[in-house]
Amino acid sequence: MSFFANLFKFGSQNMAIDLGTANTLVYVQDQGIILNEPSVVAIETINGIKRVKAVGDDAKMMMGKTPDTIEAIRPLRDGVIADIEIAEEMIKHFIRKVHGKRNLFRYPEIVICVPSGSTSVEKRAIRDAASNAGASEVHLILEPMAAAIGADMPVTEPVGSMVVDIGGGTTEVAVLSLRGLAYTTSVRTGGDKMDEAIVSYVRRHHNLLIGDSTAERIKKDYGIAVTPEDGVGETITLKGRDLVNGVPKEITINQAHVAEALNEPIGAIVEGVRIALENTAPELAADIVDQGIVLTGGGALIRRLDEHLREETGLPVSIAEDPLTCVAIGTGRAMEDPIYRGVLMSA
């Protein structure tokens, strides 16, 4: 059996997958990141039979605009698999896209990152999805560790360092030292909760219903963690459905309103950081005073978030060089570099 296993592995490209709530990134050994697409699958039902219509970018464009026969699903919620069958189809699609149809009989080794708060059942679901999608071996790596490796933090040294990875579904706060997590907490708040906060703010204050895609665009283009200095900031035009008259309508809000809307989810992230600092051993805390806190993940791109955290904690806060790809790069490095192999867990 081992002969056949090795035969199937021959020529296959080992992969590292950052299976995110919002986006999935695939890192291929010796090539780097070659795929970055939304974690969305469109399922079409014809005569009671379901089939995959689109995955990734194509499926994301359909969100909120599908007829009754098509459903755009996000198989991951809060950083973990909510629908294992759909997640399996998505992983299969991405493996095929990377390997090409000629290589269907090649079985790669796959490293997948998981949130630090994942239960053993959730980890098993991820492992099973990857195995069923054609992996010969599946290894897991904890998300904050992958983020820290991707951000070039000294995770292998006896130095305490703190990483805050703000993803789509969860925010991972971790103190790392000597290839391990000295303390970690997973806050179920991330980019999705920020989108929801914007939707509910606009509904509450303006009686206007906007879609998740519109809320996400506002967050990316105008999201700010503190009220702008002039108390107003940039103005934003929104289109949605008037909840009073039921007709399409256009309104104007400003950045100060967006900051007010994001106040609660950002407050939850700050509280998670504070709890982690309270539970950190004194020697590691002393290192963090020198090293500071590093922000990674898409949420790190919210304007003035680093400044807000600096004020709340009194510690130096910096943003990783490329926060969006930190986790995928770190997962890939852990797969390639023998120095980091110790951080991988067998699923």
Side-chain angles (χ1 to χ4, degrees):
M1 283 301 289
S2 62
F3 168 75
F4 286 110
N6 290 331
L7 184 67
F8 282 134
K9 272 197 231 178
F10 177 73
S12 66
Q13 298 162 302
N14 293 339
M15 289 184 214
I17 301 177
D18 170 13
L19 201 59
T21 307
N23 292 289
T24 295
L25 286 82
V26 178
Y27 180 108
V28 172
Q29 194 165 348
D30 304 324
Q31 290 182 45
I33 294 169
I34 64 166
L35 186 138
N36 180 356
E37 291 197 26
S39 304
V40 184
V41 181
I43 300 290
E44 185 174 30
T45 308
I46 300 170
N47 299 329
I49 297 164
K50 293 186 176 186
R51 68 178 191 87
V52 176
K53 184 169 178 66
V55 180
D57 289 321
D58 297 337
K60 174 101 185 257
M61 287 166 72
M62 298 179 188
M63 283 192 88
K65 300 177 181 179
T66 56
D68 290 344
T69 53
I70 298 170
E71 191 183 2
I73 300 166
R74 293 177 64 181
L76 287 103
R77 283 266 157 220
D78 298 331
V80 292
I81 291 179
D83 190 323
I84 188 157
E85 285 177 14
I86 306 289
E88 215 172 280
E89 289 298 331
M90 186 175 77
I91 295 170
K92 267 184 200 165
H93 172 85
F94 290 143
I95 288 175
R96 278 196 211 108
K97 199 163 184 178
V98 168
H99 268 188
K101 288 187 178 167
R102 296 186 311 279
N103 301 334
L104 276 178
F105 296 105
R106 294 180 176 175
Y107 290 77
E109 274 184 51
I110 294 183
V111 179
I112 299 184
C113 68
V114 293
S116 57
S118 301
T119 63
S120 55
V121 173
E122 289 164 343
K123 285 175 185 169
R124 205 174 303 126
I126 289 173
R127 179 201 62 195
D128 292 348
S131 296
N132 295 342
S136 61
E137 271 181 71
V138 182
H139 298 285
L140 302 180
I141 181 171
L142 294 174
E143 215 167 282
M145 178 61 77
I149 293 170
D152 289 322
M153 293 167 72
V155 296
T156 57
E157 295 167 28
V159 177
S161 45
M162 186 177 218
V163 66
V164 180
D165 178 48
I166 307 165
T170 56
T171 294
E172 305 284 323
V173 185
V175 178
L176 307 109
S177 176
L178 288 168
R179 290 195 192 89
L181 301 179
Y183 179 81
T184 180
T185 180
S186 188
V187 184
R188 297 256 158 144
T189 300
D192 288 351
K193 285 282 191 290
M194 292 180 194
D195 296 346
E196 285 168 23
I198 292 168
V199 170
S200 72
Y201 179 89
V202 173
R203 183 197 284 138
R204 209 165 51 242
H205 290 82
H206 300 280
N207 282 324
L208 187 80
L209 188 64
I210 59 170
D212 291 340
S213 301
T214 304
E216 188 183 11
R217 182 179 55 78
I218 295 164
K219 176 190 71 182
K220 283 181 176 174
D221 296 346
Y222 304 100
I224 192 166
V226 291
T227 308
E229 274 127 16
D230 63 355
V232 180
E234 295 175 58
T235 54
I236 308 143
T237 304
L238 287 181
K239 298 183 182 98
R241 192 177 86 230
D242 188 334
L243 288 167
V244 178
N245 303 319
V247 295
K249 181 180 160 186
E250 185 175 279
I251 62 157
T252 304
I253 61 169
N254 58 46
Q255 266 186 309
H257 296 140
V258 178
E260 193 184 330
L262 295 178
N263 190 34
E264 195 179 322
I266 285 173
I269 292 167
V270 171
E271 188 57 32
V273 172
R274 206 178 268 131
I275 289 166
L277 290 167
E278 282 171 11
N279 288 281
T280 302
E283 293 297 334
L284 294 170
D287 289 338
I288 293 168
V289 172
D290 299 331
Q291 300 277 329
I293 299 169
V294 177
L295 300 181
T296 67
L301 298 172
I302 297 283
R303 285 181 238 184
R304 296 179 66 186
L305 180 59
D306 52 337
E307 192 184 305
H308 181 56
L309 259 177
R310 203 175 296 129
E311 281 173 19
E312 293 289 328
T313 61
L315 295 168
V317 179
S318 61
I319 298 170
E321 197 175 316
D322 192 352
L324 283 167
T325 60
C326 259
V327 174
I329 288 169
T331 309
R333 280 190 194 159
M335 171 184 71
E336 288 178 340
D337 196 332
I339 295 173
Y340 299 122
R341 277 306 264 200
V343 303
L344 299 180
M345 306 176 294
S346 52

